[in-house]
Amino acid sequence: METTFGDVWREVLTTQPEPEQWIIIGAAVLALAAVLLNPVWRVARNVVTIAHEGGHALVALLSGRQLTAIRLHSDTSGVTVSRGKPTGIGMILTVFAGYVASSVIGLLGIVVLMTDHITALLWLSLVVLAAMLLMIRNLYGVLSVVATGAVVFGISWFTPTEVQAAFAYLFIWFLLFAGVRPVFELQRQRIRQPSPHSDADQLARLTGLPGTLWVVVFALVNLAVTGLGVWMLLLN
């Protein structure tokens, strides 16, 4: 039978039952392992880079800046280029957004999951990835976003509800947990190879506050958001 757009739309908006608690906890354990285990982290960190640069891009647009390019690199670094006033609150918020984006997106995903709109969450992720793809300006970045989108689409289109739910919780847990480790990696990099181009050091120039203080702020925000997310899903 032919599938119409209306059928797809209804499927996306339909609520799905919350998975059993052991699946939610199991997904959390797997997500935490993906953050802590270096071989897995080296691959999974590409998703964090997408979230990081997406955070820069979104806040740049919301603050009235003109977004010109996003680049993602194979070493899991990235850069987002925007035009506008080089100082001021808009620029500060744009630079600040990157290192807190993953955890904040994870928390927002938890809010959606708590409404039981699991398929809608996956398709919303696809919409965001598609919008971001329009601004990618290098081949590796295109491949990274397309590969991530292909995985999300494949799960949402070809698998039963139970698998979608398990994947959605794994995906959101990972984004929530994965915001913390890059902050510590940032500080190690600042100690070993100081660079004026890191987000913390850019914020130091924009605000006059030490870069290390901004690293601490990144860590505190992400730890607080992660704690709130864990409480919402497991302890509430």
Short mmCIF file of all heavy atoms in Angstrom, two decimals, residues 95-135:
data_model
loop_
_atom_site.label_atom_id
_atom_site.label_comp_id
_atom_site.label_asym_id
_atom_site.label_seq_id
_atom_site.Cartn_x
_atom_site.Cartn_y
_atom_site.Cartn_z
N VAL A 95 29.93 32.72 21.09
CA VAL A 95 31.12 31.95 21.44
C VAL A 95 30.83 31.01 22.60
O VAL A 95 31.27 29.86 22.62
CB VAL A 95 32.28 32.91 21.79
CG1 VAL A 95 33.52 32.11 22.24
CG2 VAL A 95 32.64 33.78 20.60
N PHE A 96 30.07 31.48 23.59
CA PHE A 96 29.77 30.68 24.77
C PHE A 96 28.95 29.43 24.44
O PHE A 96 29.11 28.38 25.09
CB PHE A 96 28.99 31.53 25.78
CG PHE A 96 28.64 30.81 27.05
CD1 PHE A 96 29.58 30.65 28.05
CD2 PHE A 96 27.37 30.28 27.24
CE1 PHE A 96 29.27 29.96 29.22
CE2 PHE A 96 27.04 29.60 28.40
CZ PHE A 96 28.00 29.44 29.40
N ALA A 97 28.11 29.51 23.44
CA ALA A 97 27.12 28.45 23.19
C ALA A 97 27.72 27.10 22.84
O ALA A 97 27.12 26.06 23.13
CB ALA A 97 26.17 28.89 22.06
N GLY A 98 28.90 27.07 22.24
CA GLY A 98 29.43 25.82 21.73
C GLY A 98 29.62 24.74 22.77
O GLY A 98 29.13 23.61 22.61
N TYR A 99 30.30 25.06 23.84
CA TYR A 99 30.65 24.02 24.82
C TYR A 99 29.49 23.61 25.72
O TYR A 99 29.60 22.61 26.44
CB TYR A 99 31.85 24.46 25.67
CG TYR A 99 33.16 24.12 25.02
CD1 TYR A 99 33.87 25.07 24.30
CD2 TYR A 99 33.68 22.84 25.08
CE1 TYR A 99 35.06 24.76 23.67
CE2 TYR A 99 34.87 22.50 24.45
CZ TYR A 99 35.55 23.48 23.74
OH TYR A 99 36.74 23.15 23.11
N VAL A 100 28.41 24.35 25.70
CA VAL A 100 27.24 23.93 26.50
C VAL A 100 26.15 23.34 25.61
O VAL A 100 25.14 22.84 26.12
CB VAL A 100 26.67 25.11 27.33
CG1 VAL A 100 27.74 25.65 28.27
CG2 VAL A 100 26.11 26.21 26.45
N ALA A 101 26.33 23.38 24.29
CA ALA A 101 25.27 22.99 23.37
C ALA A 101 24.86 21.53 23.53
O ALA A 101 23.67 21.21 23.57
CB ALA A 101 25.69 23.27 21.93
N SER A 102 25.83 20.62 23.61
CA SER A 102 25.51 19.20 23.66
C SER A 102 24.64 18.87 24.86
O SER A 102 23.61 18.21 24.74
CB SER A 102 26.80 18.37 23.69
OG SER A 102 26.51 16.99 23.76
N SER A 103 25.05 19.33 26.05
CA SER A 103 24.28 19.03 27.25
C SER A 103 22.90 19.67 27.22
O SER A 103 21.91 19.05 27.61
CB SER A 103 25.04 19.50 28.49
OG SER A 103 26.23 18.76 28.67
N VAL A 104 22.83 20.90 26.73
CA VAL A 104 21.53 21.59 26.67
C VAL A 104 20.60 20.90 25.67
O VAL A 104 19.41 20.72 25.94
CB VAL A 104 21.73 23.07 26.29
CG1 VAL A 104 20.39 23.74 26.00
CG2 VAL A 104 22.44 23.81 27.42
N ILE A 105 21.13 20.49 24.53
CA ILE A 105 20.32 19.75 23.56
C ILE A 105 19.83 18.44 24.17
O ILE A 105 18.68 18.04 23.98
CB ILE A 105 21.12 19.48 22.27
CG1 ILE A 105 21.40 20.79 21.54
CG2 ILE A 105 20.36 18.52 21.34
CD1 ILE A 105 22.40 20.65 20.39
N GLY A 106 20.73 17.77 24.91
CA GLY A 106 20.32 16.55 25.59
C GLY A 106 19.17 16.79 26.55
O GLY A 106 18.22 16.00 26.62
N LEU A 107 19.24 17.88 27.31
CA LEU A 107 18.17 18.20 28.26
C LEU A 107 16.86 18.50 27.54
O LEU A 107 15.79 18.03 27.96
CB LEU A 107 18.58 19.39 29.12
CG LEU A 107 17.60 19.78 30.23
CD1 LEU A 107 17.48 18.66 31.26
CD2 LEU A 107 18.05 21.07 30.91
N LEU A 108 16.93 19.25 26.46
CA LEU A 108 15.72 19.53 25.67
C LEU A 108 15.15 18.24 25.09
O LEU A 108 13.93 18.07 25.02
CB LEU A 108 16.05 20.52 24.55
CG LEU A 108 16.44 21.93 25.00
CD1 LEU A 108 16.85 22.78 23.79
CD2 LEU A 108 15.30 22.60 25.74
N GLY A 109 16.03 17.34 24.68
CA GLY A 109 15.57 16.04 24.19
C GLY A 109 14.84 15.26 25.26
O GLY A 109 13.84 14.58 24.98
N ILE A 110 15.31 15.35 26.49
CA ILE A 110 14.64 14.67 27.60
C ILE A 110 13.23 15.22 27.78
O ILE A 110 12.27 14.47 28.02
CB ILE A 110 15.45 14.82 28.89
CG1 ILE A 110 16.71 13.95 28.81
CG2 ILE A 110 14.63 14.43 30.12
CD1 ILE A 110 17.67 14.15 29.97
N VAL A 111 13.08 16.52 27.65
CA VAL A 111 11.75 17.14 27.77
C VAL A 111 10.81 16.56 26.72
O VAL A 111 9.64 16.23 27.02
CB VAL A 111 11.85 18.67 27.62
CG1 VAL A 111 10.46 19.29 27.57
CG2 VAL A 111 12.65 19.26 28.78
N VAL A 112 11.29 16.40 25.48
CA VAL A 112 10.47 15.82 24.42
C VAL A 112 10.16 14.36 24.72
O VAL A 112 9.02 13.90 24.57
CB VAL A 112 11.16 15.96 23.05
CG1 VAL A 112 10.32 15.29 21.96
CG2 VAL A 112 11.39 17.42 22.71
N LEU A 113 11.16 13.61 25.16
CA LEU A 113 10.95 12.19 25.47
C LEU A 113 9.91 12.01 26.57
O LEU A 113 9.16 11.03 26.55
CB LEU A 113 12.27 11.53 25.88
CG LEU A 113 13.30 11.29 24.78
CD1 LEU A 113 14.57 10.70 25.36
CD2 LEU A 113 12.73 10.39 23.69
N MET A 114 9.86 12.93 27.51
CA MET A 114 8.91 12.81 28.61
C MET A 114 7.47 13.03 28.16
O MET A 114 6.53 12.72 28.89
CB MET A 114 9.29 13.78 29.73
CG MET A 114 10.60 13.41 30.43
SD MET A 114 11.07 14.54 31.75
CE MET A 114 9.86 14.09 33.02
N THR A 115 7.30 13.55 26.93
CA THR A 115 5.95 13.66 26.35
C THR A 115 5.61 12.45 25.49
O THR A 115 4.54 12.41 24.89
CB THR A 115 5.84 14.94 25.49
OG1 THR A 115 6.65 14.80 24.32
CG2 THR A 115 6.26 16.17 26.27
N ASP A 116 6.55 11.49 25.41
CA ASP A 116 6.37 10.25 24.64
C ASP A 116 6.33 10.46 23.13
O ASP A 116 5.83 9.61 22.40
CB ASP A 116 5.11 9.50 25.10
CG ASP A 116 5.22 9.03 26.55
OD1 ASP A 116 6.34 8.75 26.99
OD2 ASP A 116 4.19 8.97 27.23
N HIS A 117 6.86 11.57 22.65
CA HIS A 117 6.95 11.81 21.20
C HIS A 117 8.33 11.37 20.71
O HIS A 117 9.16 12.18 20.30
CB HIS A 117 6.69 13.28 20.87
CG HIS A 117 5.25 13.67 20.98
ND1 HIS A 117 4.67 14.09 22.16
CD2 HIS A 117 4.26 13.68 20.06
CE1 HIS A 117 3.40 14.36 21.95
NE2 HIS A 117 3.11 14.11 20.69
N ILE A 118 8.55 10.07 20.72
CA ILE A 118 9.87 9.53 20.41
C ILE A 118 10.20 9.69 18.93
O ILE A 118 11.28 10.18 18.56
CB ILE A 118 9.94 8.05 20.84
CG1 ILE A 118 9.84 7.96 22.37
CG2 ILE A 118 11.22 7.40 20.33
CD1 ILE A 118 9.66 6.56 22.90
N THR A 119 9.29 9.30 18.06
CA THR A 119 9.53 9.45 16.62
C THR A 119 9.66 10.91 16.24
O THR A 119 10.52 11.27 15.41
CB THR A 119 8.39 8.80 15.81
OG1 THR A 119 8.27 7.42 16.17
CG2 THR A 119 8.66 8.89 14.31
N ALA A 120 8.87 11.77 16.84
CA ALA A 120 8.96 13.21 16.57
C ALA A 120 10.34 13.74 16.92
O ALA A 120 10.90 14.58 16.21
CB ALA A 120 7.88 13.96 17.33
N LEU A 121 10.90 13.25 18.02
CA LEU A 121 12.24 13.68 18.41
C LEU A 121 13.26 13.30 17.35
O LEU A 121 14.13 14.11 16.98
CB LEU A 121 12.62 13.04 19.75
CG LEU A 121 14.06 13.26 20.21
CD1 LEU A 121 14.31 14.73 20.52
CD2 LEU A 121 14.40 12.39 21.40
N LEU A 122 13.18 12.08 16.84
CA LEU A 122 14.13 11.64 15.82
C LEU A 122 13.99 12.47 14.55
O LEU A 122 14.99 12.86 13.93
CB LEU A 122 13.93 10.15 15.53
CG LEU A 122 14.18 9.20 16.71
CD1 LEU A 122 13.89 7.77 16.31
CD2 LEU A 122 15.61 9.33 17.23
N TRP A 123 12.76 12.75 14.15
CA TRP A 123 12.56 13.52 12.94
C TRP A 123 12.92 14.99 13.13
O TRP A 123 13.39 15.65 12.20
CB TRP A 123 11.11 13.37 12.45
CG TRP A 123 10.96 12.09 11.68
CD1 TRP A 123 10.98 10.83 12.18
CD2 TRP A 123 10.79 11.96 10.26
NE1 TRP A 123 10.83 9.91 11.16
CE2 TRP A 123 10.71 10.56 9.98
CE3 TRP A 123 10.69 12.86 9.21
CZ2 TRP A 123 10.55 10.07 8.70
CZ3 TRP A 123 10.52 12.37 7.92
CH2 TRP A 123 10.46 10.99 7.67
N LEU A 124 12.74 15.51 14.32
CA LEU A 124 13.20 16.86 14.61
C LEU A 124 14.71 16.94 14.49
O LEU A 124 15.26 17.92 13.96
CB LEU A 124 12.75 17.28 16.02
CG LEU A 124 13.19 18.67 16.48
CD1 LEU A 124 12.64 19.75 15.56
CD2 LEU A 124 12.73 18.91 17.92
N SER A 125 15.39 15.89 14.94
CA SER A 125 16.85 15.83 14.78
C SER A 125 17.24 15.86 13.31
O SER A 125 18.21 16.52 12.93
CB SER A 125 17.40 14.55 15.43
OG SER A 125 17.08 14.49 16.80
N LEU A 126 16.47 15.16 12.48
CA LEU A 126 16.74 15.16 11.04
C LEU A 126 16.56 16.54 10.43
O LEU A 126 17.35 16.97 9.58
CB LEU A 126 15.83 14.16 10.33
CG LEU A 126 16.11 12.68 10.59
CD1 LEU A 126 15.01 11.82 9.97
CD2 LEU A 126 17.47 12.28 10.05
N VAL A 127 15.54 17.26 10.86
CA VAL A 127 15.30 18.61 10.36
C VAL A 127 16.47 19.53 10.72
O VAL A 127 16.96 20.31 9.89
CB VAL A 127 13.98 19.17 10.92
CG1 VAL A 127 13.83 20.66 10.58
CG2 VAL A 127 12.80 18.39 10.37
N VAL A 128 16.94 19.43 11.96
CA VAL A 128 18.06 20.25 12.40
C VAL A 128 19.33 19.92 11.61
O VAL A 128 20.06 20.82 11.17
CB VAL A 128 18.30 20.06 13.91
CG1 VAL A 128 19.58 20.76 14.34
CG2 VAL A 128 17.11 20.57 14.71
N LEU A 129 19.58 18.63 11.40
CA LEU A 129 20.76 18.22 10.63
C LEU A 129 20.67 18.72 9.19
O LEU A 129 21.67 19.16 8.61
CB LEU A 129 20.90 16.71 10.66
CG LEU A 129 21.35 16.10 11.99
CD1 LEU A 129 21.21 14.57 11.95
CD2 LEU A 129 22.78 16.49 12.31
N ALA A 130 19.48 18.65 8.60
CA ALA A 130 19.30 19.11 7.22
C ALA A 130 19.55 20.62 7.12
O ALA A 130 20.18 21.09 6.17
CB ALA A 130 17.89 18.77 6.74
N ALA A 131 19.05 21.37 8.11
CA ALA A 131 19.27 22.82 8.11
C ALA A 131 20.75 23.14 8.25
O ALA A 131 21.29 24.03 7.58
CB ALA A 131 18.46 23.46 9.24
N MET A 132 21.43 22.39 9.11
CA MET A 132 22.85 22.62 9.32
C MET A 132 23.66 22.26 8.08
O MET A 132 24.64 22.92 7.75
CB MET A 132 23.32 21.77 10.51
CG MET A 132 24.72 22.09 10.98
SD MET A 132 25.08 21.21 12.53
CE MET A 132 26.81 21.69 12.74
N LEU A 133 23.21 21.23 7.36
CA LEU A 133 23.91 20.78 6.16
C LEU A 133 24.01 21.89 5.12
O LEU A 133 24.98 21.97 4.36
CB LEU A 133 23.20 19.56 5.57
CG LEU A 133 23.86 18.87 4.38
CD1 LEU A 133 25.23 18.32 4.77
CD2 LEU A 133 22.98 17.73 3.88
N LEU A 134 23.03 22.76 5.09
CA LEU A 134 23.02 23.86 4.13
C LEU A 134 24.20 24.81 4.32
O LEU A 134 24.61 25.50 3.38
CB LEU A 134 21.71 24.65 4.22
CG LEU A 134 20.42 23.88 3.89
CD1 LEU A 134 19.21 24.77 4.14
CD2 LEU A 134 20.45 23.40 2.44
N MET A 135 24.72 24.85 5.54
CA MET A 135 25.81 25.79 5.83
C MET A 135 27.18 25.13 5.91
O MET A 135 28.17 25.79 6.14
CB MET A 135 25.52 26.52 7.15
CG MET A 135 24.26 27.35 7.15
SD MET A 135 24.19 28.53 5.77
CE MET A 135 25.68 29.49 6.05
#
